[in-house]
Amino acid sequence: MPLYEHRGRGPRVHPSAYVAPTAVLCGDVRVGPEARVLFGAVLTAEDGFVEVGARCVVMENALVRGRAAHPARLGDDVLVGPHAHVNGATVGEGCFLATGAALFPGVRLEPGCEVRVHGVVHVNTLLPAGSMVPIGWVAVGDPAQILPPDQHERIWAIQRDLDFPGTVYGVPRGTAAAEMMARQSAWYGAHRDDRPVDPA
């Protein structure tokens, strides 16, 4: 399995867990007992950590990204579906994230939530226990309002105060793309110093 040390920290995989040979674990990634990380999944701890609880299944081509201000935490018994995107989110035990679900930094899902196919949970949103985001819908706010994607104005009215650029990029809204991307390029440039870790 491809394991990489990033910023001086490497992955730790419980002996009872399974990580597919084409999955990638990079940085401070902790995979718990009986967890399964399937083919093509990427778990990357940029400058924070990723924590995968017991019996979690991270399916094919999913991305789980941990950040300093927003680590990625998956509680026990969580399913992360194929092509799902979990970026700096805390996911409570027993949650179900279907194919293509997207969770952004600062998101908190309480136990037993379900985000269905291509559902979105926006930055700094709290989804109360047992909530369900329907196929393609958007959860936004604290506590979340769950809205259909054609309600852009209502979504934006809540989202604009959640500070997406500050939370995700660390810049104020309106920052020039050249400045924002120079910062992002430098930040991700730290991967040039990654080194493989022996899985033994």
Side-chain angles (χ1 to χ4, degrees):
M1 70 184 93
L3 305 177
Y4 294 93
E5 182 181 281
H6 178 64
R7 299 181 194 261
R9 296 190 174 183
R12 290 171 280 166
V13 178
H14 191 277
S16 67
Y18 168 75
V19 177
T22 59
V24 175
L25 276 55
C26 182
D28 188 3
V29 176
R30 311 155 193 177
V31 178
E34 299 179 35
R36 310 295 183 233
V37 180
L38 302 184
F39 296 91
V42 175
L43 282 64
T44 180
E46 298 299 341
D47 51 358
F49 66 87
V50 171
E51 186 175 76
V52 177
R55 297 171 303 280
C56 286
V57 176
V58 179
M59 297 189 74
E60 294 84 357
N61 301 307
L63 169 65
V64 181
R65 184 186 308 280
R67 309 160 65 90
H70 302 288
R73 293 185 177 99
L74 305 179
D76 296 343
D77 306 305
V78 168
L79 184 130
V80 178
H83 300 280
H85 173 194
V86 179
N87 184 357
T90 297
V91 179
E93 63 184 35
C95 288
F96 179 89
L97 310 178
T99 299
L103 279 60
F104 288 91
V107 161
R108 291 162 291 144
L109 268 60
E110 292 183 342
C113 290
E114 183 176 348
V115 181
R116 294 191 175 167
V117 175
H118 296 295
V120 174
V121 186
H122 238 294
V123 295
N124 301 317
T125 290
L126 169 65
L127 206 57
S131 297
M132 188 270 291
V133 179
I135 293 172
W137 283 42
V138 178
V140 60
D142 181 359
Q145 292 187 44
I146 301 171
L147 301 166
D150 64 353
Q151 298 292 312
H152 179 264
E153 294 306 320
R154 290 180 63 198
I155 293 167
W156 175 242
I158 303 165
Q159 179 192 345
R160 95 177 130 227
D161 294 330
L162 297 178
D163 191 21
F164 183 94
T167 301
V168 177
Y169 300 112
V171 298
R173 188 173 303 284
T175 298
E179 178 185 341
M180 183 170 67
M181 294 315 298
R183 292 168 55 119
Q184 288 295 291
S185 177
W187 188 60
Y188 286 116
H191 284 290
R192 289 178 300 201
D193 299 324
D194 291 356
R195 63 180 192 84
V197 175
D198 186 349

